[in-house]
Amino acid sequence: HSLTNMAALSAAEVIAQLESAAKVLMAPPSMVSHEQRQHAEHIFLSFRKSKSPFAVCKHILETSKVDYVLFQAATTIMEAVVREWVLLEKNSIESLRTFLLTYVLQRPNLQKYVREQILLAVAVIVKRGSLDKTIVCNSIFHEVSHLISSGNPAVQTLACSILTALLSEFSSSTKTSNIGLSMEFHGSCKRIFQEDDLRQIFVLTVEVLQEFSRRENLSAQMSSVFQRYLALANQVLSWNFLPPNLGRHYIAMFESSQNVMLKPTESWRETLLDSRVMDLFFTVHRKIREDSDMAQDSLQCLAQLASIHGRIFPDERAQVDYLAHFIEGLLNMINGIEIEDSEAVGISSVLSNLISEFPRSILTAIPSELFSSFINCLTHLTCSFGRSAALEEVLDKDDMVYMEAYDKLLESWLTLVQDNKHFHKGFFTQHAVQVFNSYIQCHLAAPEGTRNLTTNGVTTRDEEEISEVQEDDREMFSDQLASIGMLGRISADHCIPLLISLLEDRVTRLHGQLQRQQQQFLSSPGPATLDNKVLDDLYEDIHWLLLVTGYLLADDTQGEHPLIPPEIMEYSIKNATEVDINTTLQILGSPGEKASSIPGYNRTDSVIRLLAAVLRASEVESRATRANLTELLSPQMGKDIMWFLKRWTKTYLLVDEKLYDQISLPLSTAFGADTEGAQWIVGYLLEKVISNLSVWIAEQDLANDTVQLLVTLVERRERANLVIKCESWWNLAKQYASRSPPLNYLPSSVQRTLMKALVLAGFAHVDTETKQQYWTEVLQPLQQRFLNVINQENFQQICQEEEVKQEIIATLEALCGIAEATQIDNVAILFTFLMDFLNNCIGLMEIYKNTPETVNLIIEVFVEVAHKQICYLGESKAMKLYEACLTLLQVYSKNSIGRKRTDVAAEEEQYQDLLLIMELLTNLLSKEFIDFSDTDEVFRGQESGQPGNRSVSAADVVLYGVNIVLPLMSQDLLKFPSLCNQYYKLITFICEIFPEKIPQLPEELFKSLMYSLELGMTSMTSEVSQLCLEALTPLAETCAKAQEAESALFAATRHFLKLVFDMLVLQKHNAELTDAAGEAFYTLVCLHQAEYSELVETLLSSQQDPVIYQRLADAFNNLTGSSTPPTLDRKQRMAFLKSLKDFMANVGGLLCVK
């Protein structure tokens, strides 16, 4: 039956209709058809939009027995109250609220979700009223405290629900009910609420908690009430206090922050600084800590109280008193208990908040005995959580509570020890030693360590199954390792010698073990029965020792030149008087010998000896590969050694004395510029790199780490100059250029990086002779081989042969590597070299058009060249690149139009192509804002005269590219989020950078572009909508400048005016979009004033209700009613955007009504 007009029905008929619709919606899917379900949903939606539904809803609440219908009635009341607020009498609102509260009170057995929804409606009424000052919260608190004092658990629970509903309704604009009001509205309600009402809720809650904490034995019902009020206290203490004046944009940002620290306003002083409040929460925790759910809430309350800061403290004295009292309470609580698993994270949050939120000057101002007890407690807990975390690792638990707690405490240590203004040097040394020792102990195998030992001292899991997806330890534990490394530095006197002795010992044992295994192989050549347990333990020990050593000796920097940490430098200087430099150099230079076999080995510099221990590990590995024992080695150790050496090289090799106030003589003698030591070490590292690349071809990660070390050796010119003095470097370069095994078997990403390293080194040297030699030995053969392959007469016939394909792919990978090595000082040579290739690559596009992976790789070469070089190219060079890109796109387009792709695999391929093409276009566009070229200054003397006319511009290439991409961007492809975002970013970019080109597009392309914008605005994510709205403003401005009323763009912008008008006035949309929509709306209104007036007229004339008509007319008048027509003037635009916000707050919800 058709949907009858609800207004004409009697209440009983409406209820009958809603109840039968509810039956359909609640029925199992198999029982009802899709149409029936849609029809039922429609009945509810239209009911919720009906006018003044209050009487009907009351009737429903009083008579219907169907929970879902009751729920919908509550929702309808809530939405209608806000929608029709201005039309309602104040006392009818008041009586509605009383009705709802009484309703809930009289029906203790209501379904939970119905009750919550009704209370939410009450909260919304209170909130909307708080803005008019019409409904005062206080009467509500009076009612609630009355309910609490009833002593009846069910009633007290209801009181708690009312307060919780108020709290979540006011707490943030993200959690509030969607009642179509602006962020500013929510923000101002929240500010009013947090001053007084929130505090009243807190006081009520604290009274309840006090009452409960005094009672001896609580019934189950009582406990559940207790738990609810504790959760409420946690909600209040986690309140994100809004500062007085934040714009809408910042409110959203401010509220999205995850863990909120407590920063109450001054009006909270008496309530929160009262020490009895703090004591109450310690007492409560002691009482309920057996119950892990409640314990989380009580610890969270304490963590919030530990984070209190801001204007609530009248002066420093108050802060010191608060902190001292808190720490006393905390120590009392911790010292008397065995900490439960469920408490670890909470307790560590309390400690870490105290350390991060209270200024150091306040921490040091508390009584010194108390402070040292606090630091001892921190040390004890850190070591103990660290041990438990290691156990969690072994047992492979899902929920790593101790790990999380340990991470927090280590972070707190980092905060403390990096501050030498408040704590004298050596203040934390003893504590640091304890934490460092316990970390090392947990990561070494028995008997010295406790790794893999469960509580009763039994080793677990012999067969460790390492999952494929597991992250590398050095990534996973980087924060922990950084803290441990820092603690090791401040106690270097203890920690560096400890690491030396452990590492030297393990490497010696590893060497011995490998020799024994080799003996076994020789004596019994059959299949060996080996016990790998010993080896595995040694490798795992060395793994952790290398990681800790790497983090202790050097910092992890992304930027320029990392410095030797001051603590390490001081340590080396302090001990330099005892050091014999020649013996030190001897230990460094003989990684094949045991350190202890060198006479006088104890009079050596420890920092260098620690490096020597790592080089010894590397030497043991190299010798084992030469003795054909590679399968006994651990690729993980190989990776760790490469990672360590890369990190070490960046910081220590060619140490630059100018960068330091004081320098250690042993370090500058061993690794300074122009020293034999530096040249020796570079030679040694190069040999190692070459050996790894031939031994570990199958281990991609290890090969990757190895070429990364090579890049580090050559990325700075001073180091590269040492590298190219080595014979072995030239051998490596020639071997790579001739594609001889084993290098040609390396994975492609490794080959790419290797090429990058070879280019960086080849161009590092200033003298032309070296460059010339490099050219003839590396780049020319690459070019020659490529040309020999593609210029064969039968190339078309043999191009699909595996060998030929491999050759082509290897060249393309190398080109990507060459492009990646671009720098301002080599771009002139590289650009010319690469351009020859790019033109040949376009021919390959034709030949390999049916081999998608090759096509992708060719486009990728263009992407890399544009990405790395376009910013340095002057006009004539850029033209060449634009022309090449244009030709590439033409060929791609021709080939892909002929191929309609149907299957899923093909769609994936197309996805890859398009993503790369859009990346290429975006890279070309970037020239418009990042330009380092100096009218071909970089290319001096290479060409005569400037071209008279610019034949191809970036705009032409990009628009042509869009022309290719658009027809292929099917709806299906837009389902790939990354593709969709890249596509819309590109379109917006184009409209912003050269809007004047858009009207000149061919008709089909213009239409597709406009359609894409409309699609993005109306049916994509809000991120995409925002991009499309941002594209409209420049388009409309272009139109306004051109003043051609006949143009297609003019017509399109008229259509967009209607879309944006509807979006702002008639539809619910994301509040985030109001700004972008407002900007676009203003420009479009300026352009089409007559159409805008017409839209307003049409809207007003459709209004039956005189009151609504008047409000709308007034609102539009305030928005755009001034006698001067709007113009594209910045000041006017700002004023308009401000009025638009008032407009939205005022009539935002009026029109979403049925």
Side-chain angles (χ1 to χ4, degrees), residues 451 506 510 514 532-546 620-621 624 629-638 640:
R451 186 180 73 236
R506 296 303 187 273
L510 175 65
L514 289 168
N532 280 341
K533 173 97 181 71
V534 180
L535 271 181
D536 289 344
D537 276 348
L538 283 171
Y539 286 135
E540 185 75 357
D541 282 4
I542 291 172
H543 165 67
W544 287 106
L545 291 169
L546 285 172
V620 166
E621 184 184 46
L629 297 175
T630 310
E631 68 269 26
L632 292 178
L633 288 173
S634 147
Q636 180 63 55
M637 179 173 87
D640 295 333

Short mmCIF file of all heavy atoms in Angstrom, two decimals, residues 451 506 510 514 532-546 620-621 624 629-638 640:
data_model
loop_
_atom_site.label_atom_id
_atom_site.label_comp_id
_atom_site.label_asym_id
_atom_site.label_seq_id
_atom_site.Cartn_x
_atom_site.Cartn_y
_atom_site.Cartn_z
N ARG A 451 67.30 -14.60 28.55
CA ARG A 451 66.42 -14.64 27.39
C ARG A 451 65.80 -16.02 27.23
O ARG A 451 66.46 -17.03 27.43
CB ARG A 451 67.23 -14.30 26.11
CG ARG A 451 66.33 -14.18 24.89
CD ARG A 451 67.07 -13.84 23.63
NE ARG A 451 67.85 -14.97 23.14
CZ ARG A 451 69.14 -14.93 22.91
NH1 ARG A 451 69.82 -13.83 23.13
NH2 ARG A 451 69.79 -15.99 22.47
N ARG A 506 81.41 -13.17 22.51
CA ARG A 506 80.49 -13.90 21.63
C ARG A 506 81.11 -14.14 20.25
O ARG A 506 80.91 -15.19 19.64
CB ARG A 506 79.16 -13.14 21.46
CG ARG A 506 78.33 -12.96 22.72
CD ARG A 506 77.99 -14.28 23.39
NE ARG A 506 77.05 -14.10 24.51
CZ ARG A 506 77.43 -13.83 25.75
NH1 ARG A 506 78.72 -13.71 26.06
NH2 ARG A 506 76.54 -13.70 26.73
N LEU A 510 81.72 -17.68 18.53
CA LEU A 510 81.14 -17.96 17.22
C LEU A 510 82.23 -18.53 16.29
O LEU A 510 82.03 -19.53 15.60
CB LEU A 510 80.56 -16.68 16.60
CG LEU A 510 80.02 -16.81 15.18
CD1 LEU A 510 78.81 -17.75 15.14
CD2 LEU A 510 79.63 -15.45 14.60
N LEU A 514 82.17 -22.24 14.59
CA LEU A 514 82.21 -22.46 13.14
C LEU A 514 83.40 -23.34 12.76
O LEU A 514 83.30 -24.20 11.87
CB LEU A 514 82.27 -21.11 12.39
CG LEU A 514 80.98 -20.27 12.44
CD1 LEU A 514 81.22 -18.86 11.94
CD2 LEU A 514 79.87 -20.93 11.61
N ASN A 532 72.22 -26.99 16.15
CA ASN A 532 72.28 -25.56 15.84
C ASN A 532 71.95 -24.66 17.03
O ASN A 532 72.06 -23.46 16.94
CB ASN A 532 71.34 -25.23 14.69
CG ASN A 532 71.99 -25.59 13.37
OD1 ASN A 532 73.21 -25.74 13.33
ND2 ASN A 532 71.21 -25.75 12.34
N LYS A 533 71.54 -25.29 18.14
CA LYS A 533 71.12 -24.49 19.29
C LYS A 533 72.22 -23.51 19.70
O LYS A 533 71.98 -22.33 19.93
CB LYS A 533 70.78 -25.45 20.44
CG LYS A 533 70.47 -24.77 21.75
CD LYS A 533 68.97 -24.63 21.95
CE LYS A 533 68.64 -23.93 23.26
NZ LYS A 533 68.97 -22.50 23.25
N VAL A 534 73.46 -24.01 19.78
CA VAL A 534 74.57 -23.16 20.22
C VAL A 534 74.73 -21.97 19.27
O VAL A 534 74.82 -20.82 19.69
CB VAL A 534 75.88 -23.97 20.27
CG1 VAL A 534 77.04 -23.09 20.73
CG2 VAL A 534 75.72 -25.17 21.19
N LEU A 535 74.73 -22.27 17.96
CA LEU A 535 74.88 -21.20 16.98
C LEU A 535 73.73 -20.20 17.07
O LEU A 535 73.95 -18.99 17.09
CB LEU A 535 74.92 -21.78 15.57
CG LEU A 535 76.28 -22.20 15.02
CD1 LEU A 535 76.13 -22.72 13.60
CD2 LEU A 535 77.26 -21.02 15.03
N ASP A 536 72.50 -20.72 17.14
CA ASP A 536 71.35 -19.81 17.18
C ASP A 536 71.44 -18.86 18.36
O ASP A 536 71.16 -17.66 18.23
CB ASP A 536 70.03 -20.61 17.27
CG ASP A 536 69.74 -21.32 15.95
OD1 ASP A 536 70.37 -20.94 14.95
OD2 ASP A 536 68.91 -22.25 15.95
N ASP A 537 71.82 -19.42 19.52
CA ASP A 537 71.94 -18.56 20.71
C ASP A 537 73.00 -17.48 20.50
O ASP A 537 72.80 -16.32 20.86
CB ASP A 537 72.30 -19.40 21.95
CG ASP A 537 71.05 -20.01 22.57
OD1 ASP A 537 69.94 -19.58 22.16
OD2 ASP A 537 71.16 -20.89 23.44
N LEU A 538 74.13 -17.88 19.91
CA LEU A 538 75.19 -16.89 19.68
C LEU A 538 74.72 -15.79 18.72
O LEU A 538 74.94 -14.61 18.96
CB LEU A 538 76.43 -17.58 19.10
CG LEU A 538 77.29 -18.36 20.11
CD1 LEU A 538 78.35 -19.17 19.39
CD2 LEU A 538 77.95 -17.40 21.11
N TYR A 539 74.05 -16.20 17.64
CA TYR A 539 73.58 -15.20 16.68
C TYR A 539 72.60 -14.22 17.33
O TYR A 539 72.65 -13.03 17.10
CB TYR A 539 72.92 -15.87 15.47
CG TYR A 539 73.91 -16.52 14.53
CD1 TYR A 539 73.70 -17.79 14.02
CD2 TYR A 539 75.08 -15.84 14.15
CE1 TYR A 539 74.62 -18.39 13.16
CE2 TYR A 539 76.00 -16.43 13.30
CZ TYR A 539 75.77 -17.70 12.80
OH TYR A 539 76.67 -18.27 11.96
N GLU A 540 71.69 -14.78 18.13
CA GLU A 540 70.68 -13.91 18.76
C GLU A 540 71.36 -12.94 19.73
O GLU A 540 71.01 -11.75 19.79
CB GLU A 540 69.64 -14.80 19.46
CG GLU A 540 68.47 -14.06 20.06
CD GLU A 540 67.43 -13.55 19.05
OE1 GLU A 540 67.64 -13.71 17.82
OE2 GLU A 540 66.44 -12.98 19.49
N ASP A 541 72.37 -13.43 20.49
CA ASP A 541 73.12 -12.55 21.39
C ASP A 541 73.79 -11.42 20.61
O ASP A 541 73.70 -10.24 20.96
CB ASP A 541 74.22 -13.33 22.14
CG ASP A 541 73.65 -14.15 23.30
OD1 ASP A 541 72.41 -14.14 23.46
OD2 ASP A 541 74.43 -14.78 24.05
N ILE A 542 74.47 -11.82 19.52
CA ILE A 542 75.21 -10.82 18.74
C ILE A 542 74.24 -9.80 18.14
O ILE A 542 74.51 -8.61 18.09
CB ILE A 542 76.05 -11.52 17.64
CG1 ILE A 542 77.20 -12.31 18.31
CG2 ILE A 542 76.62 -10.52 16.65
CD1 ILE A 542 77.98 -13.22 17.37
N HIS A 543 73.06 -10.31 17.72
CA HIS A 543 72.04 -9.43 17.14
C HIS A 543 71.70 -8.29 18.11
O HIS A 543 71.76 -7.10 17.75
CB HIS A 543 70.80 -10.29 16.82
CG HIS A 543 69.54 -9.53 16.55
ND1 HIS A 543 69.37 -8.72 15.45
CD2 HIS A 543 68.37 -9.49 17.25
CE1 HIS A 543 68.14 -8.21 15.48
NE2 HIS A 543 67.52 -8.65 16.55
N TRP A 544 71.38 -8.65 19.35
CA TRP A 544 70.98 -7.60 20.31
C TRP A 544 72.17 -6.72 20.70
O TRP A 544 72.02 -5.51 20.87
CB TRP A 544 70.32 -8.22 21.54
CG TRP A 544 68.94 -8.72 21.22
CD1 TRP A 544 68.54 -10.01 21.08
CD2 TRP A 544 67.79 -7.91 20.92
NE1 TRP A 544 67.21 -10.07 20.72
CE2 TRP A 544 66.72 -8.79 20.62
CE3 TRP A 544 67.56 -6.54 20.89
CZ2 TRP A 544 65.44 -8.35 20.29
CZ3 TRP A 544 66.27 -6.08 20.56
CH2 TRP A 544 65.23 -6.99 20.26
N LEU A 545 73.35 -7.33 20.83
CA LEU A 545 74.53 -6.51 21.20
C LEU A 545 74.84 -5.48 20.10
O LEU A 545 75.18 -4.33 20.39
CB LEU A 545 75.74 -7.41 21.46
CG LEU A 545 75.62 -8.28 22.74
CD1 LEU A 545 76.71 -9.33 22.79
CD2 LEU A 545 75.67 -7.40 24.00
N LEU A 546 74.68 -5.90 18.84
CA LEU A 546 74.95 -4.95 17.75
C LEU A 546 73.92 -3.81 17.75
O LEU A 546 74.27 -2.65 17.54
CB LEU A 546 74.92 -5.67 16.39
CG LEU A 546 76.12 -6.54 16.06
CD1 LEU A 546 75.87 -7.34 14.78
CD2 LEU A 546 77.39 -5.69 15.88
N VAL A 620 84.78 -12.66 10.77
CA VAL A 620 84.43 -14.07 10.98
C VAL A 620 83.44 -14.50 9.90
O VAL A 620 83.54 -15.58 9.31
CB VAL A 620 83.82 -14.28 12.39
CG1 VAL A 620 83.16 -15.65 12.50
CG2 VAL A 620 84.90 -14.11 13.46
N GLU A 621 82.48 -13.62 9.61
CA GLU A 621 81.47 -13.92 8.60
C GLU A 621 82.14 -14.08 7.22
O GLU A 621 81.88 -15.06 6.50
CB GLU A 621 80.46 -12.76 8.58
CG GLU A 621 79.29 -12.94 7.66
CD GLU A 621 78.38 -11.70 7.62
OE1 GLU A 621 78.89 -10.56 7.51
OE2 GLU A 621 77.17 -11.87 7.72
N ALA A 624 84.07 -17.32 6.97
CA ALA A 624 83.19 -18.49 6.86
C ALA A 624 82.67 -18.64 5.43
O ALA A 624 82.55 -19.75 4.92
CB ALA A 624 82.02 -18.35 7.84
N LEU A 629 81.09 -22.08 4.27
CA LEU A 629 80.18 -22.39 5.39
C LEU A 629 78.99 -21.44 5.38
O LEU A 629 78.36 -21.21 6.42
CB LEU A 629 80.93 -22.25 6.72
CG LEU A 629 82.09 -23.22 6.95
CD1 LEU A 629 82.81 -22.90 8.24
CD2 LEU A 629 81.56 -24.65 6.99
N THR A 630 78.70 -20.84 4.22
CA THR A 630 77.66 -19.81 4.18
C THR A 630 76.34 -20.28 4.80
O THR A 630 75.67 -19.53 5.49
CB THR A 630 77.42 -19.33 2.73
OG1 THR A 630 78.69 -19.02 2.18
CG2 THR A 630 76.54 -18.09 2.71
N GLU A 631 75.99 -21.59 4.57
CA GLU A 631 74.66 -21.99 5.08
C GLU A 631 74.61 -22.04 6.60
O GLU A 631 73.53 -22.14 7.18
CB GLU A 631 74.18 -23.30 4.46
CG GLU A 631 74.97 -24.53 4.86
CD GLU A 631 76.12 -24.78 3.89
OE1 GLU A 631 76.59 -23.83 3.25
OE2 GLU A 631 76.52 -25.95 3.77
N LEU A 632 75.78 -21.98 7.25
CA LEU A 632 75.76 -21.94 8.73
C LEU A 632 75.63 -20.51 9.25
O LEU A 632 75.45 -20.29 10.43
CB LEU A 632 77.06 -22.55 9.30
CG LEU A 632 77.24 -24.05 9.11
CD1 LEU A 632 78.57 -24.47 9.68
CD2 LEU A 632 76.10 -24.80 9.78
N LEU A 633 75.75 -19.52 8.36
CA LEU A 633 75.73 -18.13 8.82
C LEU A 633 74.29 -17.64 8.98
O LEU A 633 73.37 -18.21 8.42
CB LEU A 633 76.46 -17.24 7.82
CG LEU A 633 77.97 -17.41 7.80
CD1 LEU A 633 78.57 -16.62 6.66
CD2 LEU A 633 78.59 -16.95 9.13
N SER A 634 74.17 -16.53 9.70
CA SER A 634 72.84 -15.95 9.89
C SER A 634 72.71 -14.68 9.05
O SER A 634 73.45 -13.72 9.28
CB SER A 634 72.66 -15.61 11.37
OG SER A 634 71.85 -14.48 11.52
N PRO A 635 71.78 -14.67 8.09
CA PRO A 635 71.57 -13.45 7.30
C PRO A 635 71.23 -12.26 8.22
O PRO A 635 71.58 -11.13 7.93
CB PRO A 635 70.40 -13.78 6.39
CG PRO A 635 70.32 -15.26 6.37
CD PRO A 635 70.88 -15.77 7.65
N GLN A 636 70.54 -12.57 9.35
CA GLN A 636 70.18 -11.49 10.28
C GLN A 636 71.45 -10.81 10.80
O GLN A 636 71.52 -9.59 10.87
CB GLN A 636 69.36 -12.07 11.46
CG GLN A 636 68.93 -11.04 12.48
CD GLN A 636 68.00 -9.98 11.92
OE1 GLN A 636 66.97 -10.28 11.35
NE2 GLN A 636 68.36 -8.72 12.08
N MET A 637 72.48 -11.59 11.13
CA MET A 637 73.72 -10.98 11.61
C MET A 637 74.34 -10.14 10.49
O MET A 637 74.85 -9.05 10.72
CB MET A 637 74.72 -12.05 12.10
CG MET A 637 76.02 -11.43 12.58
SD MET A 637 77.17 -12.60 13.36
CE MET A 637 78.04 -13.22 11.93
N GLY A 638 74.26 -10.66 9.27
CA GLY A 638 74.80 -9.90 8.13
C GLY A 638 74.11 -8.54 8.01
O GLY A 638 74.75 -7.51 7.81
N ASP A 640 72.54 -6.92 10.42
CA ASP A 640 72.87 -6.06 11.57
C ASP A 640 74.23 -5.40 11.37
O ASP A 640 74.42 -4.23 11.71
CB ASP A 640 72.88 -6.89 12.87
CG ASP A 640 71.50 -7.43 13.21
OD1 ASP A 640 70.51 -6.78 12.79
OD2 ASP A 640 71.40 -8.47 13.87
#
